[in-house]
Amino acid sequence: MVQPVPETISFPAEEEQVLRIWKQYDCFQECLKQAKNRPRYTFYDGPPFATGLPHYGHILAGTIKDIVTRFAHQSGFNVERRFGWDCHGLPVEYEIDKTLGIKGPEDVAAMGIAEYNRHCRGIVMRYSNEWETAVTRLGRWIDFKNDYKTLYPSFMESVWWVFKQLYDKGLVYRGVKVMPFSTACNTPLSNFESHQNYKDVQDPSVIVTFPLEEDESVSLVAWTTTPWTLPSNLAVCVSPVYQYVKLKDNSTGKIYIMMEARLIALFKSDSEYTILDRFQGTALKGKKYRPLFDYFLKCKETGAFTVLVDNYVKEEEGTGVVHQAPYFGADDFRVCVDYGIIQKDSTPVCPVDASGCFTAEVEDFAGLYVKDADKRILKYLKDKGRLVHSGTYKHNYPFCWRSDTPLIYKAVPSWFVRVEHMVDKLLENNDKCYWVPEFVREKRFGNWLKDARDWAISRNRYWGTPIPLWVSEDFEEVVCVGSVAELEELSGIKIEDLHRESVDHITIPSRCGKGVLRRVSEVFDCWFESGSMPYAQVHYPFENRREFEDSFPADFIAEGIDQTRGWFYTLLVLSTALFGKPPFRNVIVNGLVLASDGQKMSKRKKNYPDPIKIVDSYGADALRLYLINSPVVRAENLRFKEEGVRDVLKDVFLPWYNAYRFLVQNVQRLHKEEGIKFLFNESTVEDSDNIMDKWILSFTQSLIQFFKAEMEAYRLYTVVPRLVKFVDMLTNWYVRMNRRRLKGESGATDCQRALESLFSVLFCMCRLMAPFTPFITELMYQNLRHLMDLSSVQDKDTRSIHYLMLPQIRESLIDQRIEGAVAQMQSIIELGRVIRDRKTLPVKYPLKEVVVIHQDSEALKDIRSLEKYILEELNVRQLTLSTDKGKYGILLRAEPDHMVLGKRLKGAFKSVTTAIKGLQNVQLEEFQKTGTITVEGHELHEEDLRLLYTFDPSTGISAQYEAHSDAQALVLLDVTPDQSMVDEGVAREVINRIQKLRKKAHLVPSDEITVYYSCQPTGEYLENVIQNHNDFILGTIKTSLKPYPVPISAGVIIQEKTQLKGSNLDLTLVKGASTVSSPALGLACAYINVKVSVDGKKQDGVILLENPKGDNVLDFVKLKNVIFKIFKLQTAQLAIYHDKHELTNGTDLMSLNGKTLYVTSGVAPAEAVMKTDTMLCQYVNLQLVNAMPQECLNGTVGALLLENPAGQNGLTYPDLLHETAKIFGLRSKKLKLCLNDTKAEEITTDSSMKMLNMKTIYIHVLATTAES
């Protein structure tokens, strides 16, 4: 049975209730079961680290994934949704290092890898419960039980298999490479990791001298921002193409060589130096210079301390002379290798350890952290006379994304995957992927791929998947292991786990007589693991081989734009290398969620609200819709604002909820007042002739068509605004303009058609919105489903909205002509509203006429067909249509767009704008048609000027009408005052005050009330308006409106005093209608029909379950006693049935109100299958008017049966008087019974009792002599 919908709602509380329903029915798992035999839709979930709590970035990406996978399920696919966890790597190790105070490798060695990894394993899933709670609370359906973790041995074994495939293809090599290096985490980072956290920093800016050996009075001067690299200097480099100068510093007399274009780096003006010579950079090639330090003088044997030449030296910064420390800079390394100063396999000149401290080779600074050593190095150089200038330099510098410490660039031995050779194949596979938005594929990701470099996949760490290479001491014999079974076979050892502590000690006998092979110490970069997840999550190829190959590539993935250099990249590299094809077909890329001030969200700065608090305040649906209906879904950034989430509630959910509530209210009213039970069946519902019903049904089908097309194209950013707009169309247009029909004011049949249309739309909307707002749609559906003929629903299980498939497009309902006509109508109404606002004319006050001028006669026909709605919405008496604006004295005038023209016209701006203002109506009408006009020799277009309408002063019409227009139509409103219309407006104000008071008292339309009013002073304007417009007011409020006084016995609901038109208006709402109730309302008290078949005798009767209403409520035992008494039964055994079900002590009798019960000696009667719910006895309703009941009773409404059993014990006038007094506990009072509440039409001994059937008797308690 459909339940009443409360006026107010707490969305977060209702969401919690929905979560309980999902848990009770295990809805997500049930969904997966239902879809088991459907076509597969493959989705990969990028794994987050569980060492931190979810933030808005996770929530956003998770919501996108949830929406798309829910949509795929609703579209008929089987969508496996497994949650993944990234368990290895720096995030975990960094936390352990902080906790245990670990500074470097020696601390781990002292502890032991096994113990270190035990600590890592202990915190891997630290926040897993919080993650599961948060993800579930946000409405995301994903499988946590059937998850994958990168630490599972099965996952790690597949990673080994991936690596072996690459190794066997010759794509793996060992080399030395200058890489971004995190000294806090003691490990190199990949290029894409190093680009994740750039900051503006102040670094030292230093210029030092390099005296030439041929003439030490002449020095090259080089600039650097990393003084700590100077002890490792092996060369300097100049440009071959730019001009260099030899000059004298006029203040010191010293002679320097530097690039002429960079003199500003050392001097502020030309007077500070004297140029002695000019030459190309190539003239310096091969010259020798005196080293800054003596630590690596032995390198002179290989050509160190020489001037080199390379094109990477530019004129944008520095001095044009670049110092070369080849093991701390990628370009330095390349250039020095090219000139033979170092070899790729030579011992590195790299006197910095993994913690970023100088080694003993640099004896003057040994043990110092490099950044801390800068000042000491500068002092040393200054003392040696080699420092020319020292200052600071602000620039953008990479920081470690995990530890937030500055990175250094450092040469490290690493294992690499060759990528550069397959750039063309990567680009080709990228072109096969469908990216949303598309520019990410072409620009950001495509550009990154074009410059792809070989991928360093090894890390000198501990907690990760060990690289499965066993090597001899000289690295000449290498065995790559691709599975557990292979390692067991090669080593003879049983393998239980694959982490370092379990495999580092395992050796493999050499096949080349080199003793034993030992595993290399490195582990995989965790990006290699996440890039392997398509294979590793299903333990491919060791298990699930066919299932994987049938479903690869994935149909869909989604992550943030930062993953273009992360997960998206590693997935593509590995799938291209392994299979030659892309890893996914479709990808949605989201932008970043920033704090409201545009800064990055920071826990330290506390510049954003806690996501869980937002959910607790506004609900998960509101947060989801806010994020999805924002630029962030187009890969742009979003400044998160809490008020934006709040606005979703106010502008979308509350109007939508109120439309749903209004539907339920009127379905219940229809049942109560007309006895019509609403049950929706799409296949049998009758077509409506109403144009607004046709419009909303057509508009809904057009939405479904658009929704499916755009969702299949993964364009969430076009879908959500359209869905939000649809809520507006439904609530602010359809429901608003059809309230009277929905409330039954145009008859029961028309009401049914309107309710069916509204139900159909709300039901469709719930199914469309279910992937986006899973909670509110479930909330509404759980109630709406009771109004559906479930046999008409194609889906087998209808317990949840999320079990249902998307609605099918019913093209027969789409009528573009009607949609266009309503759009025209909406434009006219909006233009009219603007005019009313401009003239401060509230819609409550009627106006004489609205004139619509349109050049298209067909459009005018459409507008005429909707005349009724235009008149009602704008509250005007008459609609006039015309194609002739001249008839109304309307002229065009033009205003220039100053901003647009100012930028373009410069000096001609003033003359052109003056000419624009002087353009004539004829010229502007031509401009309207063509879109171009030439003014003062300049061709102008639509964006250059605005057209406005004005009245021809000679017509005198301007005082009568006010005008407003859009691109198609011109609307004129007659704004001349009229007293009768002003009076009607005041009457509408009175109606508005009454309806607001009703709402304030939380009343629903079916609540019976009487409105009493008083105007002070009496006899003034307001009172006259109310009296003269009484019928108009009654027609709207649908209840009695009476002048004061309020009867003493009246149950006052609410009372309020207010000011209106200079008078005090006092309004009181009291319980109960003051006029005779309509017979259709039925018996005032709850009752049951009784059909007795006992002792061979059949009798019919009625039993009141309460009397007065709310008092003397019967239970099962009392019911049996009453049956024995009324029907004078002798049998000891009695059974009571409803629809073949026997009633017991636990039966809720009030739920059987209006039903028919069958009484037998024990056997269920065959007759019970027949419906006989019409009233079996005649009755009268009773209404106490001017007193309250006594004898501990509360109800002022009751009932009496005029016969019982049917045809027996007819009521007489004395019985009526006696029983009435008894019912209300007024046995000592003198009563007067009347057929209305004003004591007219008194019931006497002469009154016919039969004539009273189904009427209401009003009981007046007469005052006694003592009371008088």
PDB file of all heavy atoms in Angstrom, residues 690-692 737-738 740-741 746 750 825 829 862-876 879:
ATOM      1  N   ASN A 690      -4.975  15.740 -23.394  1.00  0.00           N
ATOM      2  CA  ASN A 690      -4.472  17.013 -22.892  1.00  0.00           C
ATOM      3  C   ASN A 690      -3.099  17.320 -23.489  1.00  0.00           C
ATOM      4  O   ASN A 690      -2.188  16.485 -23.465  1.00  0.00           O
ATOM      5  CB  ASN A 690      -4.379  16.960 -21.363  1.00  0.00           C
ATOM      6  CG  ASN A 690      -3.897  18.264 -20.780  1.00  0.00           C
ATOM      7  OD1 ASN A 690      -2.702  18.513 -20.717  1.00  0.00           O
ATOM      8  ND2 ASN A 690      -4.818  19.103 -20.355  1.00  0.00           N
ATOM      9  N   ILE A 691      -2.934  18.537 -24.010  1.00  0.00           N
ATOM     10  CA  ILE A 691      -1.694  18.883 -24.710  1.00  0.00           C
ATOM     11  C   ILE A 691      -0.491  18.889 -23.769  1.00  0.00           C
ATOM     12  O   ILE A 691       0.619  18.521 -24.161  1.00  0.00           O
ATOM     13  CB  ILE A 691      -1.841  20.246 -25.432  1.00  0.00           C
ATOM     14  CG1 ILE A 691      -0.647  20.461 -26.390  1.00  0.00           C
ATOM     15  CG2 ILE A 691      -1.968  21.391 -24.434  1.00  0.00           C
ATOM     16  CD1 ILE A 691      -0.850  21.603 -27.350  1.00  0.00           C
ATOM     17  N   MET A 692      -0.705  19.257 -22.493  1.00  0.00           N
ATOM     18  CA  MET A 692       0.424  19.272 -21.553  1.00  0.00           C
ATOM     19  C   MET A 692       0.847  17.859 -21.172  1.00  0.00           C
ATOM     20  O   MET A 692       2.032  17.601 -20.950  1.00  0.00           O
ATOM     21  CB  MET A 692       0.067  20.090 -20.309  1.00  0.00           C
ATOM     22  CG  MET A 692      -0.044  21.577 -20.558  1.00  0.00           C
ATOM     23  SD  MET A 692       1.474  22.303 -21.245  1.00  0.00           S
ATOM     24  CE  MET A 692       2.530  22.311 -19.800  1.00  0.00           C
ATOM     25  N   MET A 737       1.478  23.875 -13.818  1.00  0.00           N
ATOM     26  CA  MET A 737       0.397  24.279 -14.715  1.00  0.00           C
ATOM     27  C   MET A 737      -0.753  23.281 -14.753  1.00  0.00           C
ATOM     28  O   MET A 737      -1.772  23.534 -15.412  1.00  0.00           O
ATOM     29  CB  MET A 737       0.957  24.491 -16.128  1.00  0.00           C
ATOM     30  CG  MET A 737       2.023  25.576 -16.177  1.00  0.00           C
ATOM     31  SD  MET A 737       2.784  25.767 -17.791  1.00  0.00           S
ATOM     32  CE  MET A 737       1.577  26.781 -18.608  1.00  0.00           C
ATOM     33  N   ASN A 738      -0.588  22.151 -14.064  1.00  0.00           N
ATOM     34  CA  ASN A 738      -1.640  21.135 -14.067  1.00  0.00           C
ATOM     35  C   ASN A 738      -2.107  20.779 -12.662  1.00  0.00           C
ATOM     36  O   ASN A 738      -2.709  19.719 -12.453  1.00  0.00           O
ATOM     37  CB  ASN A 738      -1.139  19.873 -14.794  1.00  0.00           C
ATOM     38  CG  ASN A 738      -1.004  20.086 -16.288  1.00  0.00           C
ATOM     39  OD1 ASN A 738      -1.944  19.910 -17.045  1.00  0.00           O
ATOM     40  ND2 ASN A 738       0.189  20.511 -16.713  1.00  0.00           N
ATOM     41  N   ARG A 740      -4.499  21.955 -10.830  1.00  0.00           N
ATOM     42  CA  ARG A 740      -5.953  21.826 -10.693  1.00  0.00           C
ATOM     43  C   ARG A 740      -6.434  20.470 -11.238  1.00  0.00           C
ATOM     44  O   ARG A 740      -7.270  19.808 -10.630  1.00  0.00           O
ATOM     45  CB  ARG A 740      -6.661  22.971 -11.423  1.00  0.00           C
ATOM     46  CG  ARG A 740      -6.429  24.337 -10.784  1.00  0.00           C
ATOM     47  CD  ARG A 740      -7.097  25.426 -11.625  1.00  0.00           C
ATOM     48  NE  ARG A 740      -6.825  26.745 -11.075  1.00  0.00           N
ATOM     49  CZ  ARG A 740      -7.587  27.344 -10.146  1.00  0.00           C
ATOM     50  NH1 ARG A 740      -8.637  26.717  -9.662  1.00  0.00           N
ATOM     51  NH2 ARG A 740      -7.277  28.544  -9.705  1.00  0.00           N
ATOM     52  N   ARG A 741      -5.893  20.085 -12.382  1.00  0.00           N
ATOM     53  CA  ARG A 741      -6.270  18.779 -12.950  1.00  0.00           C
ATOM     54  C   ARG A 741      -5.841  17.651 -12.035  1.00  0.00           C
ATOM     55  O   ARG A 741      -6.602  16.711 -11.783  1.00  0.00           O
ATOM     56  CB  ARG A 741      -5.603  18.575 -14.317  1.00  0.00           C
ATOM     57  CG  ARG A 741      -6.072  19.533 -15.392  1.00  0.00           C
ATOM     58  CD  ARG A 741      -5.300  19.284 -16.693  1.00  0.00           C
ATOM     59  NE  ARG A 741      -5.484  17.944 -17.179  1.00  0.00           N
ATOM     60  CZ  ARG A 741      -4.496  17.119 -17.536  1.00  0.00           C
ATOM     61  NH1 ARG A 741      -3.226  17.512 -17.445  1.00  0.00           N
ATOM     62  NH2 ARG A 741      -4.759  15.911 -17.976  1.00  0.00           N
ATOM     63  N   SER A 746     -11.016  19.075 -12.550  1.00  0.00           N
ATOM     64  CA  SER A 746     -11.619  18.967 -13.875  1.00  0.00           C
ATOM     65  C   SER A 746     -12.251  17.593 -14.087  1.00  0.00           C
ATOM     66  O   SER A 746     -12.433  17.153 -15.219  1.00  0.00           O
ATOM     67  CB  SER A 746     -10.576  19.232 -14.957  1.00  0.00           C
ATOM     68  OG  SER A 746      -9.466  18.372 -14.800  1.00  0.00           O
ATOM     69  N   ASP A 750     -10.254  13.024 -16.045  1.00  0.00           N
ATOM     70  CA  ASP A 750      -9.122  13.871 -16.434  1.00  0.00           C
ATOM     71  C   ASP A 750      -8.030  13.826 -15.369  1.00  0.00           C
ATOM     72  O   ASP A 750      -6.842  13.845 -15.683  1.00  0.00           O
ATOM     73  CB  ASP A 750      -9.594  15.313 -16.644  1.00  0.00           C
ATOM     74  CG  ASP A 750      -8.508  16.182 -17.278  1.00  0.00           C
ATOM     75  OD1 ASP A 750      -7.879  15.727 -18.251  1.00  0.00           O
ATOM     76  OD2 ASP A 750      -8.277  17.294 -16.773  1.00  0.00           O
ATOM     77  N   MET A 825       5.542  28.661 -25.890  1.00  0.00           N
ATOM     78  CA  MET A 825       4.717  29.127 -24.778  1.00  0.00           C
ATOM     79  C   MET A 825       5.577  29.533 -23.584  1.00  0.00           C
ATOM     80  O   MET A 825       5.357  30.573 -22.956  1.00  0.00           O
ATOM     81  CB  MET A 825       3.751  28.024 -24.352  1.00  0.00           C
ATOM     82  CG  MET A 825       2.898  28.362 -23.141  1.00  0.00           C
ATOM     83  SD  MET A 825       2.232  26.895 -22.331  1.00  0.00           S
ATOM     84  CE  MET A 825       3.685  26.233 -21.508  1.00  0.00           C
ATOM     85  N   ILE A 829       5.776  33.196 -21.727  1.00  0.00           N
ATOM     86  CA  ILE A 829       5.518  33.355 -20.278  1.00  0.00           C
ATOM     87  C   ILE A 829       6.724  33.985 -19.592  1.00  0.00           C
ATOM     88  O   ILE A 829       6.579  34.882 -18.760  1.00  0.00           O
ATOM     89  CB  ILE A 829       5.148  31.996 -19.660  1.00  0.00           C
ATOM     90  CG1 ILE A 829       3.769  31.549 -20.167  1.00  0.00           C
ATOM     91  CG2 ILE A 829       5.151  32.078 -18.132  1.00  0.00           C
ATOM     92  CD1 ILE A 829       3.407  30.113 -19.824  1.00  0.00           C
ATOM     93  N   ASP A 862       0.634  27.700 -32.882  1.00  0.00           N
ATOM     94  CA  ASP A 862       1.068  26.897 -31.735  1.00  0.00           C
ATOM     95  C   ASP A 862       0.801  27.636 -30.426  1.00  0.00           C
ATOM     96  O   ASP A 862       0.348  27.045 -29.439  1.00  0.00           O
ATOM     97  CB  ASP A 862       2.575  26.589 -31.845  1.00  0.00           C
ATOM     98  CG  ASP A 862       2.881  25.613 -32.973  1.00  0.00           C
ATOM     99  OD1 ASP A 862       1.950  24.901 -33.398  1.00  0.00           O
ATOM    100  OD2 ASP A 862       4.041  25.572 -33.408  1.00  0.00           O
ATOM    101  N   ILE A 863       1.097  28.923 -30.423  1.00  0.00           N
ATOM    102  CA  ILE A 863       0.886  29.721 -29.210  1.00  0.00           C
ATOM    103  C   ILE A 863      -0.602  29.790 -28.875  1.00  0.00           C
ATOM    104  O   ILE A 863      -0.998  29.680 -27.712  1.00  0.00           O
ATOM    105  CB  ILE A 863       1.487  31.132 -29.402  1.00  0.00           C
ATOM    106  CG1 ILE A 863       3.012  31.038 -29.493  1.00  0.00           C
ATOM    107  CG2 ILE A 863       1.086  32.059 -28.255  1.00  0.00           C
ATOM    108  CD1 ILE A 863       3.687  32.294 -30.016  1.00  0.00           C
ATOM    109  N   ARG A 864      -1.439  29.917 -29.899  1.00  0.00           N
ATOM    110  CA  ARG A 864      -2.884  29.956 -29.669  1.00  0.00           C
ATOM    111  C   ARG A 864      -3.377  28.655 -29.042  1.00  0.00           C
ATOM    112  O   ARG A 864      -4.272  28.668 -28.186  1.00  0.00           O
ATOM    113  CB  ARG A 864      -3.608  30.219 -30.996  1.00  0.00           C
ATOM    114  CG  ARG A 864      -5.123  30.253 -30.888  1.00  0.00           C
ATOM    115  CD  ARG A 864      -5.612  31.424 -30.039  1.00  0.00           C
ATOM    116  NE  ARG A 864      -5.490  32.691 -30.745  1.00  0.00           N
ATOM    117  CZ  ARG A 864      -5.691  33.880 -30.159  1.00  0.00           C
ATOM    118  NH1 ARG A 864      -5.999  33.953 -28.870  1.00  0.00           N
ATOM    119  NH2 ARG A 864      -5.548  34.995 -30.845  1.00  0.00           N
ATOM    120  N   SER A 865      -2.813  27.536 -29.454  1.00  0.00           N
ATOM    121  CA  SER A 865      -3.264  26.239 -28.921  1.00  0.00           C
ATOM    122  C   SER A 865      -2.994  26.110 -27.424  1.00  0.00           C
ATOM    123  O   SER A 865      -3.586  25.262 -26.754  1.00  0.00           O
ATOM    124  CB  SER A 865      -2.577  25.089 -29.673  1.00  0.00           C
ATOM    125  OG  SER A 865      -1.191  25.035 -29.361  1.00  0.00           O
ATOM    126  N   LEU A 866      -2.100  26.943 -26.908  1.00  0.00           N
ATOM    127  CA  LEU A 866      -1.757  26.903 -25.475  1.00  0.00           C
ATOM    128  C   LEU A 866      -2.196  28.180 -24.770  1.00  0.00           C
ATOM    129  O   LEU A 866      -1.654  28.529 -23.713  1.00  0.00           O
ATOM    130  CB  LEU A 866      -0.240  26.693 -25.326  1.00  0.00           C
ATOM    131  CG  LEU A 866       0.230  25.297 -25.775  1.00  0.00           C
ATOM    132  CD1 LEU A 866       1.679  25.333 -26.226  1.00  0.00           C
ATOM    133  CD2 LEU A 866       0.050  24.287 -24.668  1.00  0.00           C
ATOM    134  N   GLU A 867      -3.178  28.849 -25.342  1.00  0.00           N
ATOM    135  CA  GLU A 867      -3.647  30.128 -24.818  1.00  0.00           C
ATOM    136  C   GLU A 867      -4.040  30.041 -23.349  1.00  0.00           C
ATOM    137  O   GLU A 867      -3.690  30.903 -22.545  1.00  0.00           O
ATOM    138  CB  GLU A 867      -4.845  30.606 -25.650  1.00  0.00           C
ATOM    139  CG  GLU A 867      -5.479  31.883 -25.149  1.00  0.00           C
ATOM    140  CD  GLU A 867      -6.637  32.332 -26.036  1.00  0.00           C
ATOM    141  OE1 GLU A 867      -7.024  31.575 -26.957  1.00  0.00           O
ATOM    142  OE2 GLU A 867      -7.139  33.433 -25.807  1.00  0.00           O
ATOM    143  N   LYS A 868      -4.763  28.987 -23.010  1.00  0.00           N
ATOM    144  CA  LYS A 868      -5.265  28.819 -21.630  1.00  0.00           C
ATOM    145  C   LYS A 868      -4.134  28.912 -20.613  1.00  0.00           C
ATOM    146  O   LYS A 868      -4.256  29.554 -19.568  1.00  0.00           O
ATOM    147  CB  LYS A 868      -5.968  27.459 -21.543  1.00  0.00           C
ATOM    148  CG  LYS A 868      -6.308  27.002 -20.155  1.00  0.00           C
ATOM    149  CD  LYS A 868      -7.008  25.641 -20.208  1.00  0.00           C
ATOM    150  CE  LYS A 868      -6.931  24.983 -18.854  1.00  0.00           C
ATOM    151  NZ  LYS A 868      -6.294  23.694 -18.857  1.00  0.00           N
ATOM    152  N   TYR A 869      -3.008  28.270 -20.927  1.00  0.00           N
ATOM    153  CA  TYR A 869      -1.887  28.234 -19.984  1.00  0.00           C
ATOM    154  C   TYR A 869      -1.189  29.588 -19.909  1.00  0.00           C
ATOM    155  O   TYR A 869      -0.731  30.000 -18.834  1.00  0.00           O
ATOM    156  CB  TYR A 869      -0.901  27.135 -20.390  1.00  0.00           C
ATOM    157  CG  TYR A 869      -1.518  25.757 -20.325  1.00  0.00           C
ATOM    158  CD1 TYR A 869      -1.925  25.105 -21.482  1.00  0.00           C
ATOM    159  CD2 TYR A 869      -1.712  25.114 -19.109  1.00  0.00           C
ATOM    160  CE1 TYR A 869      -2.506  23.846 -21.433  1.00  0.00           C
ATOM    161  CE2 TYR A 869      -2.288  23.855 -19.039  1.00  0.00           C
ATOM    162  CZ  TYR A 869      -2.688  23.227 -20.202  1.00  0.00           C
ATOM    163  OH  TYR A 869      -3.265  21.992 -20.141  1.00  0.00           O
ATOM    164  N   ILE A 870      -1.085  30.264 -21.037  1.00  0.00           N
ATOM    165  CA  ILE A 870      -0.450  31.592 -21.043  1.00  0.00           C
ATOM    166  C   ILE A 870      -1.268  32.564 -20.198  1.00  0.00           C
ATOM    167  O   ILE A 870      -0.733  33.308 -19.366  1.00  0.00           O
ATOM    168  CB  ILE A 870      -0.287  32.109 -22.487  1.00  0.00           C
ATOM    169  CG1 ILE A 870       0.697  31.206 -23.253  1.00  0.00           C
ATOM    170  CG2 ILE A 870       0.199  33.555 -22.495  1.00  0.00           C
ATOM    171  CD1 ILE A 870       0.773  31.502 -24.747  1.00  0.00           C
ATOM    172  N   LEU A 871      -2.603  32.554 -20.415  1.00  0.00           N
ATOM    173  CA  LEU A 871      -3.478  33.446 -19.644  1.00  0.00           C
ATOM    174  C   LEU A 871      -3.385  33.145 -18.158  1.00  0.00           C
ATOM    175  O   LEU A 871      -3.341  34.055 -17.324  1.00  0.00           O
ATOM    176  CB  LEU A 871      -4.929  33.298 -20.125  1.00  0.00           C
ATOM    177  CG  LEU A 871      -5.218  33.706 -21.587  1.00  0.00           C
ATOM    178  CD1 LEU A 871      -6.683  33.466 -21.918  1.00  0.00           C
ATOM    179  CD2 LEU A 871      -4.854  35.169 -21.823  1.00  0.00           C
ATOM    180  N   GLU A 872      -3.342  31.860 -17.817  1.00  0.00           N
ATOM    181  CA  GLU A 872      -3.311  31.465 -16.400  1.00  0.00           C
ATOM    182  C   GLU A 872      -1.984  31.831 -15.753  1.00  0.00           C
ATOM    183  O   GLU A 872      -1.947  32.400 -14.661  1.00  0.00           O
ATOM    184  CB  GLU A 872      -3.545  29.948 -16.311  1.00  0.00           C
ATOM    185  CG  GLU A 872      -3.958  29.480 -14.925  1.00  0.00           C
ATOM    186  CD  GLU A 872      -4.387  28.018 -14.949  1.00  0.00           C
ATOM    187  OE1 GLU A 872      -5.512  27.730 -15.428  1.00  0.00           O
ATOM    188  OE2 GLU A 872      -3.593  27.175 -14.514  1.00  0.00           O
ATOM    189  N   GLU A 873      -0.884  31.516 -16.428  1.00  0.00           N
ATOM    190  CA  GLU A 873       0.437  31.753 -15.838  1.00  0.00           C
ATOM    191  C   GLU A 873       0.758  33.241 -15.715  1.00  0.00           C
ATOM    192  O   GLU A 873       1.394  33.667 -14.754  1.00  0.00           O
ATOM    193  CB  GLU A 873       1.520  31.059 -16.667  1.00  0.00           C
ATOM    194  CG  GLU A 873       1.660  29.587 -16.390  1.00  0.00           C
ATOM    195  CD  GLU A 873       2.024  29.291 -14.942  1.00  0.00           C
ATOM    196  OE1 GLU A 873       3.054  29.804 -14.452  1.00  0.00           O
ATOM    197  OE2 GLU A 873       1.260  28.567 -14.285  1.00  0.00           O
ATOM    198  N   LEU A 874       0.339  34.018 -16.719  1.00  0.00           N
ATOM    199  CA  LEU A 874       0.613  35.464 -16.659  1.00  0.00           C
ATOM    200  C   LEU A 874      -0.525  36.232 -15.995  1.00  0.00           C
ATOM    201  O   LEU A 874      -0.408  37.430 -15.758  1.00  0.00           O
ATOM    202  CB  LEU A 874       0.850  36.006 -18.078  1.00  0.00           C
ATOM    203  CG  LEU A 874       2.160  35.579 -18.739  1.00  0.00           C
ATOM    204  CD1 LEU A 874       2.255  36.168 -20.149  1.00  0.00           C
ATOM    205  CD2 LEU A 874       3.367  36.015 -17.918  1.00  0.00           C
ATOM    206  N   ASN A 875      -1.637  35.501 -15.692  1.00  0.00           N
ATOM    207  CA  ASN A 875      -2.816  36.101 -15.064  1.00  0.00           C
ATOM    208  C   ASN A 875      -3.287  37.318 -15.877  1.00  0.00           C
ATOM    209  O   ASN A 875      -3.332  38.446 -15.378  1.00  0.00           O
ATOM    210  CB  ASN A 875      -2.529  36.488 -13.610  1.00  0.00           C
ATOM    211  CG  ASN A 875      -3.801  36.829 -12.843  1.00  0.00           C
ATOM    212  OD1 ASN A 875      -4.918  36.566 -13.311  1.00  0.00           O
ATOM    213  ND2 ASN A 875      -3.640  37.414 -11.670  1.00  0.00           N
ATOM    214  N   VAL A 876      -3.603  37.064 -17.136  1.00  0.00           N
ATOM    215  CA  VAL A 876      -4.159  38.103 -18.011  1.00  0.00           C
ATOM    216  C   VAL A 876      -5.501  37.627 -18.550  1.00  0.00           C
ATOM    217  O   VAL A 876      -5.781  36.425 -18.596  1.00  0.00           O
ATOM    218  CB  VAL A 876      -3.216  38.451 -19.186  1.00  0.00           C
ATOM    219  CG1 VAL A 876      -1.974  39.156 -18.700  1.00  0.00           C
ATOM    220  CG2 VAL A 876      -2.827  37.210 -19.983  1.00  0.00           C
ATOM    221  N   LEU A 879      -5.473  37.163 -24.784  1.00  0.00           N
ATOM    222  CA  LEU A 879      -4.251  36.963 -25.577  1.00  0.00           C
ATOM    223  C   LEU A 879      -4.516  37.441 -26.997  1.00  0.00           C
ATOM    224  O   LEU A 879      -5.466  37.006 -27.653  1.00  0.00           O
ATOM    225  CB  LEU A 879      -3.852  35.479 -25.599  1.00  0.00           C
ATOM    226  CG  LEU A 879      -2.736  35.077 -26.571  1.00  0.00           C
ATOM    227  CD1 LEU A 879      -1.413  35.716 -26.177  1.00  0.00           C
ATOM    228  CD2 LEU A 879      -2.594  33.557 -26.633  1.00  0.00           C
TER     229      LEU A 879
END
